[in-house]
Amino acid sequence: MHDSVQEIAKTRRFLKERLQRDYTTVRGYESERNNVRQLLQRTAEMGESNSLLLIGPRGAGKTTLINAVLTDLLENKSFVDNTLIVHLDGNLHTDDRIALKSITVQMRLENAADGKVFGSFAENLAFLLQCLKAGDKKSKSVVFVLEEFDLFCTHHNQTLLYNLFDVSQSAQAPICVLGVTCRLDVIELLEKRVKSRFSHRQVFLFPSANKFEDYVSLFQHLVSLPSNKELQAAVDRIDSLQMFKSDAFTFQRNHFDGVEYAFDKKHVENWNKQIEKLIKTPAAQKTLQMLYDFDVSEAFLKTFTFRLVAQLKADAPHITVEQLTALGAQYECDDKVELLCGLSVLELCLLIAIKHHSSIYDRDPFNFEIIFGRFSKFAKVSTTMQGVERAIVLKAFEHLRIVELIMPLSSSGMGKVQKEFEMHKMALTYGQIQQAVQRYQALPTEVAQWAQSSII
Amino acid sequence: TRLAEGTPRRSIQLSNIVEQRIFNDNEIISTPKRSRSKLADEVVDEDYTPKKSNQKTPTRPRRSSTTKQPSATKLKEQAPLTPSQKLKKIRSGELSPSMEQREQPVDESRKSQLQLAREQLHVSVVPKSLPCREKEFDNIYSFLEGKIQDQCGGCMYVSGVPGTGKTATVTGVIRTLQRLVEKDELPAFDFLEINGMRLTEPRQAYVQIYKQLTGKTVSWEHAHTLLEKRFTTPAPRRVTTVLLVDELDILCNRRQDVVYNLLDWPTKSAARLVVVTIANTMDLPERLLMGKVTSRLGLTRLTFQPYTHKQLQEIVTARLAGSEAFKGEAVQLVARKVAAVSGDARRALDICRRATEVADTADAQPGGIKCVTMLHVQQALAEMIASAKVQAIKNCSRLEQIFLQAVAAEVTRTGVEETTFMGVYTQIETIAAFMGVALPAPGRALHLCSKLGAERLIISEHSRHDLYQKILLNVSADDIHYALRVESN
């Protein structure tokens, strides 16, 4: 009994780690991967200068593809010896000054010492350009990986991009500029001289699982356990990578490593059979179809699977259809309706008054006085809301504003107008209020009736 | 703060003081700055090659000195430098910048025909004489030769869209002139070159010019005064200086003092400066520059027209001379396609290079020889010119496609390009009910909206605006219909 508990814990840990930390495994994208790999290989071996843009929607595996290609290439020594890799990120390197310092450090130029760069911005740029100009086919190739490439386009004059592309188009040190972005129209952001210098190679990555069957098999792959042979192959691959503990690959320090996991053969068979059975059930298919209709990206499926795997316990040792559908329902539900159900009856009454006002005047803006007038009409004839003071209603109105169920018309108008008279708009659809009224626990009948008709 | 940029940091001075202590220097620590720096220079002179002149304004350019500089590897043998010492050496131009060398050099021997062609087609391989630019070459050549012969100053403005061979032609002319100087058929001249895009701000132009004259890096104020002195005071045996200013429009700031100075120096009789300026737009002097600057720029202008398809074909075939890697009609297809879009030579060469890569990975021809055919070029063209929007729409999830349809429907309904999320959501309700799909909650629809916005299929505001955010369609409605109609069939 104790043994099986441990086995479950191990399975859960294995699946979680594989979901989170396996940075280098790519499924599909054969031709794109070959394209990028050959480009980098030619840069390293022939000393060619190139530039390339990797474009695809968020969560399509762009970074994973580059990681995979680089780890593939790092296995052969001729690549390691002949190339420097410089990683830049548009979110971190927010202007050319910071990016340039980072380049200087990563290329280990003469004016950098232990991560500290000397000299001004202009000096750094001049020195980097001189260094690249001094280089030729005998010098090391440099691979620049620019993640969030579109953010580099917002820098002043696009100086960095111009200079990198210019080096790649002139007889200087061989470099390869690899831009990664999710914007399809990124080329339009480039200035015309930068655009002219870019080689217009674009690799588009669209989600590999573009059929529902592929999506289901991807899910099956994510939750099933590998056989010992497959596990050993993966371990060997990771071990060969660990040989090159270069500074450029920080992800390798904490990479998923299957070495500590060895599963009982019977357990693996059992588990995989269970998964296969699970996937065939119509309820599971329906949930997966719902996810697939919403978002086809692998990243989305992975977060879903992670939440599913996290539910594995000793007393619930298998992923069940019920868990799957319950989790799917969580994804489907409306968070704002949940928020509405947590409001007090007074706040809900105010929202109903706002809804009435909106439907009568076709979504005209409103202020506290209008709504309070409408609410008082109802409160006078109701039996539960009679004694409510104005100050309390104002507080409830303010609470609605803080949780952003109602929004001020203009943020600049604050302070000029008294808070009772400031105009607002409602950030809810009528359907959401309707749902909230239906789902609200122990709502007075009067309020429910008032919500149906605005006669009072 | 500008002043501080050029001056050495305090830490550098401190480290000098420490060194003086350590090496038992009997100089008093609180000596004035000037004399201390002189001392440091003398120490340098003992350690390294003595090539120091104490003259403040060098009358002769010292460009030749770059070749004599001790290489970085040589320096390392003697004593490890502290970073601040290194920086000092970089500033004084004594430490030549270098790249790390590769372990194995590139193997030149075994290369296939396609690889050779690919190397020849690389943009960086500039031919000795540019095809199809003979007339422009003669124009610039006669201008520069005349100015150098007459020993007077002047300006020229060269314009044209990117990739039409402006910089390559000008540097080609300069190279020809330098060869003439070597043969003593022309008086000697100096050549300086700056590029607006390689500067962090316009005023760094002074620094770069001064650096090319002497090899030293100083602050821009200092460089400005030194250059001013050099160009305005008459000196015997001054040779003509040719200054090439690339990307002139970047050097224009609001005050336009840099451009003014660069164009004002040639008017001084003492300067003997010839300035060749390059920019993209033809009407830049009239549009951007002030009257006095335009006046100084003069009317010696030259425009580079975009290449026609015949010229592009000639350029590519000239590069491929002697090689049979390309079929004739393949080159023609590239030339015609590129000439129709931009007339950019870089574009044509890049497409040809991509085509060789495609041919390389494709299966060999029946003859056993790999050759770039029309099909390969067509694939390369599709990769490099075609847009991927239709494909992106096809690869969207079902609800994302519905969202796009809803935006298009809302545009048709209202007749206005700009829609709000609320209107789009009511359309989604309709379409979802019509198609029998479960209606996504508004929160999930907002998620779809931001996802499509990240891809730039639509342009949306920050989702803080919730139901009231404005949405614009970034693809044409026809693209959406095409992508979804074709898929459903």
Side-chain angles (χ1 to χ4, degrees):
Chain A
M1 184 61 212
H2 186 67
D3 219 28
S4 74
V5 169
Q6 266 192 344
E7 201 77 353
I8 288 301
K10 203 161 74 179
T11 308
R12 190 178 60 192
R13 207 169 71 230
F14 175 82
L15 290 175
K16 273 184 168 181
E17 286 199 359
R18 197 172 61 177
L19 282 170
Q20 273 197 318
R21 298 218 310 255
D22 190 357
Y23 306 110
T24 53
T25 310
V26 190
R27 287 170 211 87
Y29 298 136
E30 279 309 319
S31 64
E32 289 89 349
R33 189 173 168 174
N34 274 336
N35 197 342
V36 177
R37 184 168 58 214
Q38 279 168 6
L39 196 83
L40 288 183
Q41 212 158 13
R42 274 202 306 274
T43 309
E45 282 166 13
M46 311 284 204
E48 264 186 41
S49 289
N50 288 306
S51 47
L52 178 112
L53 269 181
L54 201 58
I55 304 175
R58 286 213 186 281
K62 302 181 286 294
T63 308
T64 317
L65 183 94
I66 288 190
N67 286 344
V69 167
L70 285 178
T71 43
D72 278 0
L73 288 171
L74 279 178
E75 277 174 26
N76 51 5
K77 199 166 170 339
S78 71
F79 184 84
V80 182
D81 289 343
N82 296 328
T83 38
L84 289 170
I85 296 167
V86 177
H87 277 278
L88 296 176
D89 192 312
N91 280 326
L92 294 175
H93 304 106
T94 47
D95 62 19
D96 284 347
R97 195 178 300 259
I98 302 169
L100 208 60
K101 286 211 164 165
S102 181
I103 292 175
T104 310
V105 170
Q106 291 186 51
M107 283 176 68
R108 299 190 287 273
L109 294 182
E110 298 268 359
N111 56 345
D114 289 339
K116 174 121 176 56
V117 181
F118 292 85
S120 67
F121 176 38
E123 279 175 309
N124 291 341
L125 178 65
F127 193 75
L128 175 71
L129 292 177
Q130 274 181 338
C131 283
L132 288 170
K133 207 171 181 180
D136 51 15
K137 295 239 158 171
K138 286 195 200 82
S139 45
K140 276 193 181 183
S141 313
V142 189
V143 176
F144 289 93
V145 181
L146 306 180
E147 299 219 22
E148 310 291 343
F149 181 81
D150 49 315
L151 296 178
F152 284 98
C153 299
T154 59
H155 294 179
H156 178 65
N157 278 348
Q158 304 189 344
T159 311
L160 183 73
L161 291 184
Y162 176 89
N163 285 308
L164 287 182
F165 284 142
D166 194 51
V167 170
S168 81
Q169 301 249 308
S170 46
Q172 302 182 6
I175 69 166
C176 179
V177 185
L178 206 66
V180 185
T181 179
C182 66
R183 280 185 67 159
L184 290 168
D185 61 345
V186 70
I187 293 213
E188 308 306 316
L189 298 177
L190 298 174
E191 235 191 289
K192 59 186 180 313
R193 46 194 152 213
V194 183
K195 196 170 158 186
S196 166
R197 280 166 176 78
F198 170 58
S199 74
H200 287 268
R201 283 158 207 267
Q202 303 170 58
V203 173
F204 290 97
L205 283 193
F206 292 114
S208 52
N210 50 8
K211 276 199 215 73
F212 181 59
E213 294 80 56
D214 294 346
Y215 197 72
V216 173
S217 62
L218 174 64
F219 175 73
Q220 185 177 2
H221 179 86
L222 285 178
V223 287
S224 51
L225 292 176
S227 68
N228 278 338
K229 217 193 214 165
E230 289 163 348
L231 197 64
Q232 194 54 47
V235 168
D236 286 346
R237 195 175 74 93
I238 298 304
D239 279 349
S240 72
L241 292 180
Q242 302 276 352
M243 284 161 60
F244 309 101
K245 282 200 188 299
S246 63
D247 302 332
F249 290 97
T250 42
F251 64 80
Q252 282 189 6
R253 252 182 263 149
N254 205 11
H255 196 275
F256 166 71
D257 192 353
V259 72
E260 47 193 295
Y261 302 101
F263 292 106
D264 184 28
K265 210 170 181 185
K266 218 167 181 183
H267 174 72
V268 172
E269 265 174 34
N270 245 340
W271 176 269
N272 287 347
K273 213 180 272 171
Q274 195 78 24
I275 293 295
E276 217 167 305
K277 224 162 82 189
L278 167 82
I279 281 169
K280 292 235 173 73
T281 57
Q285 289 269 336
K286 202 178 152 212
T287 308
L288 286 175
Q289 178 78 49
M290 186 274 292
L291 293 176
Y292 176 72
D293 277 348
F294 183 64
D295 194 336
V296 289
S297 72
E298 194 177 318
F300 181 71
L301 184 64
K302 272 187 173 172
T303 32
F304 178 82
T305 316
F306 188 86
R307 290 181 65 181
L308 194 65
V309 168
Q311 291 176 358
L312 281 178
K313 278 191 215 99
D315 48 352
H318 288 294
I319 297 177
T320 58
V321 188
E322 289 77 36
Q323 283 175 342
L324 194 73
T325 42
L327 199 57
Q330 269 188 40
Y331 272 79
E332 256 183 317
C333 80
D334 192 346
D335 300 332
K336 266 204 179 155
V337 175
E338 300 287 312
L339 185 67
L340 288 177
C341 290
L343 295 177
S344 67
V345 178
L346 175 61
E347 284 151 359
L348 197 65
C349 282
L350 283 182
L351 272 180
I352 290 168
I354 291 169
K355 182 194 154 201
H356 288 332
H357 172 85
S358 292
S359 55
I360 291 168
Y361 297 103
D362 195 20
R363 288 228 174 226
D364 258 7
F366 52 85
N367 63 16
F368 173 72
E369 291 298 336
I370 298 173
I371 298 308
F372 185 65
R374 192 166 281 282
F375 168 73
S376 325
K377 264 196 227 164
F378 163 72
K380 249 183 269 166
V381 295
S382 80
T383 52
T384 48
M385 287 282 167
Q386 258 170 1
V388 185
E389 284 168 40
R390 183 188 157 92
I392 293 169
V393 181
L394 183 61
K395 203 76 202 162
F397 191 79
E398 273 169 13
H399 185 232
L400 288 182
R401 182 179 153 150
I402 288 165
V403 295
E404 294 196 346
L405 292 173
I406 58 175
M407 297 189 297
L409 269 190
S410 58
S411 52
S412 60
M414 263 166 42
K416 279 184 209 157
V417 191
Q418 280 180 315
K419 61 182 172 187
E420 291 96 330
F421 300 102
E422 203 188 334
M423 299 310 271
H424 287 83
K425 54 195 178 182
M426 179 177 64
L428 291 166
T429 59
Y430 300 146
Q432 282 174 320
I433 297 178
Q434 204 77 34
Q435 273 183 44
V437 168
Q438 276 161 13
R439 287 183 40 193
Y440 199 92
Q441 296 285 318
L443 187 70
T445 331
E446 281 175 342
V447 178
Q449 278 171 354
W450 181 48
Q452 297 308 318
S453 66
S454 57
I455 294 165
I456 309 167
Chain B
T1 53
R2 286 272 155 68
L3 268 170
E5 260 176 30
T7 54
R9 296 255 169 82
R10 174 154 302 160
S11 62
I12 297 165
Q13 292 170 12
L14 262 180
S15 71
N16 283 349
I17 294 166
V18 170
E19 260 161 51
Q20 282 162 19
R21 276 265 169 87
I22 291 169
F23 297 124
N24 288 331
D25 212 316
N26 42 12
E27 186 84 30
I28 307 161
I29 285 166
S30 63
T31 42
K33 204 170 152 192
R34 177 65 58 80
S35 65
R36 189 148 36 85
S37 70
K38 204 181 272 174
L39 179 96
D41 283 340
E42 277 163 19
V43 171
V44 166
D45 281 359
E46 282 168 22
D47 286 354
Y48 304 105
T49 47
K51 53 158 224 67
K52 182 75 197 158
S53 76
N54 286 332
Q55 241 174 312
K56 277 294 161 208
T57 46
T59 46
R60 269 192 49 118
R62 301 170 56 89
R63 268 165 59 72
S64 57
S65 66
T66 44
T67 50
K68 280 189 247 160
Q69 278 166 7
S71 68
T73 47
K74 215 173 185 180
L75 288 173
K76 269 179 201 159
E77 287 167 17
Q78 290 170 343
L81 292 168
T82 61
S84 50
Q85 279 175 323
K86 256 191 210 167
L87 182 71
K88 216 174 190 180
K89 290 219 175 301
I90 290 169
R91 282 198 177 136
S92 64
E94 285 169 44
L95 188 76
S96 67
S98 62
M99 285 279 292
E100 282 183 46
Q101 298 293 309
R102 54 173 65 220
E103 311 267 309
Q104 312 118 325
V106 179
D107 192 5
E108 296 283 345
S109 55
R110 40 176 188 82
K111 270 184 184 163
S112 72
Q113 199 180 15
L114 273 178
Q115 271 168 347
L116 285 172
R118 187 155 56 228
E119 252 165 51
Q120 279 304 308
L121 284 170
H122 199 281
V123 184
S124 65
V125 184
V126 183
K128 285 211 177 70
S129 69
L130 287 179
C132 308
R133 285 292 177 226
E134 290 82 12
K135 230 168 71 195
E136 287 83 357
F137 185 92
D138 290 343
N139 202 327
I140 300 171
Y141 179 84
S142 56
F143 172 81
L144 283 177
E145 199 203 10
K147 293 289 177 200
I148 293 170
Q149 293 278 16
D150 301 346
Q151 307 200 324
C152 60
C155 286
M156 183 172 195
Y157 177 68
V158 180
S159 64
V161 291
T164 48
K166 300 179 294 296
T167 313
T169 309
V170 174
T171 45
V173 169
I174 300 282
R175 247 181 287 125
T176 317
L177 289 172
Q178 277 168 342
R179 236 173 284 137
L180 280 184
V181 170
E182 277 168 28
K183 282 190 258 169
D184 276 337
E185 289 169 19
L186 197 76
F189 69 95
D190 293 328
F191 175 57
L192 313 174
E193 179 185 21
I194 56 169
N195 185 328
M197 286 292 276
R198 296 204 184 116
L199 307 173
T200 50
E201 53 148 4
R203 282 177 183 138
Q204 289 290 327
Y206 302 132
V207 179
Q208 286 301 318
I209 294 172
Y210 187 72
K211 192 173 176 190
Q212 288 186 32
L213 281 170
T214 62
K216 288 199 193 73
T217 309
V218 292
S219 72
W220 71 263
E221 291 96 338
H222 197 58
H224 180 209
T225 35
L226 290 174
L227 287 173
E228 189 83 41
K229 214 188 261 170
R230 180 191 150 95
F231 287 125
T232 50
T233 49
R237 286 180 292 134
R238 163 154 308 157
V239 289
T240 312
T241 314
V242 177
L243 173 64
L244 169 63
V245 182
D246 217 338
E247 316 289 2
L248 181 71
D249 50 327
I250 302 293
L251 290 179
C252 300
N253 45 5
R254 213 154 45 85
R255 284 183 59 206
Q256 306 200 347
D257 50 339
V258 177
V259 200
Y260 178 80
N261 273 326
L262 290 182
L263 296 177
D264 189 42
W265 287 330
T267 61
K268 305 275 177 3
S269 60
R272 289 201 191 165
L273 179 67
V274 186
V275 180
V276 181
T277 53
I278 301 180
N280 291 134
T281 45
M282 202 164 66
D283 57 346
L284 178 88
E286 285 73 32
R287 204 164 35 84
L288 211 62
L289 298 174
M290 286 191 272
K292 57 180 180 183
V293 182
T294 314
S295 147
R296 277 170 176 76
L297 186 57
L299 288 167
T300 322
R301 296 187 187 175
L302 182 63
T303 310
F304 280 62
Q305 298 296 337
Y307 291 111
T308 61
H309 69 90
K310 276 198 188 121
Q311 290 172 326
L312 279 178
Q313 199 177 345
E314 204 181 319
I315 291 169
V316 175
T317 39
R319 293 225 174 187
L320 291 168
S323 159
E324 282 146 24
F326 263 84
K327 287 249 161 56
E329 70 262 22
V331 177
Q332 195 172 4
L333 179 64
V334 173
R336 281 185 186 272
K337 283 272 186 190
V338 173
V341 178
S342 59
D344 191 335
R346 291 194 189 105
R347 197 74 179 277
L349 292 171
D350 278 329
I351 293 173
C352 287
R353 215 152 57 86
R354 177 67 196 145
T356 61
E357 286 167 20
V358 173
D360 225 357
T361 46
D363 298 328
Q365 296 281 309
I369 308 157
K370 283 191 171 179
C371 179
V372 181
T373 61
M374 286 285 261
L375 289 174
H376 300 138
V377 169
Q378 249 163 7
Q379 195 187 329
L381 279 169
E383 273 178 36
M384 297 172 90
I385 291 186
S387 107
K389 279 180 175 165
V390 172
Q391 219 192 331
I393 298 168
K394 275 187 188 173
N395 280 290
C396 281
S397 73
R398 187 117 178 258
L399 286 176
E400 281 165 356
Q401 288 173 349
I402 289 177
F403 194 96
L404 284 173
Q405 276 178 312
V407 179
E410 183 68 6
V411 169
T412 340
R413 189 182 74 85
T414 55
V416 190
E417 295 282 294
E418 197 181 74
T419 57
T420 63
F421 180 80
M422 204 145 41
V424 173
Y425 189 71
T426 42
Q427 291 288 346
I428 292 177
E429 280 174 341
T430 322
I431 294 174
F434 184 73
M435 292 175 75
V437 184
L439 175 73
R444 274 157 60 88
L446 277 173
H447 183 89
L448 294 174
C449 178
S450 63
K451 201 152 177 287
L452 290 171
E455 272 183 82
R456 281 298 190 282
L457 286 174
I458 59 173
I459 297 170
S460 59
E461 284 183 309
H462 195 279
S463 43
R464 163 182 73 226
H465 297 289
D466 216 310
L467 295 182
Y468 298 92
Q469 65 174 311
K470 299 190 177 76
I471 295 171
L472 272 175
L473 209 54
N474 200 24
V475 288
S476 74
D478 292 339
D479 275 354
I480 297 175
H481 292 312
Y482 174 73
L484 301 182
R485 189 72 48 79
V486 171
E487 190 199 35
S488 62
N489 284 348

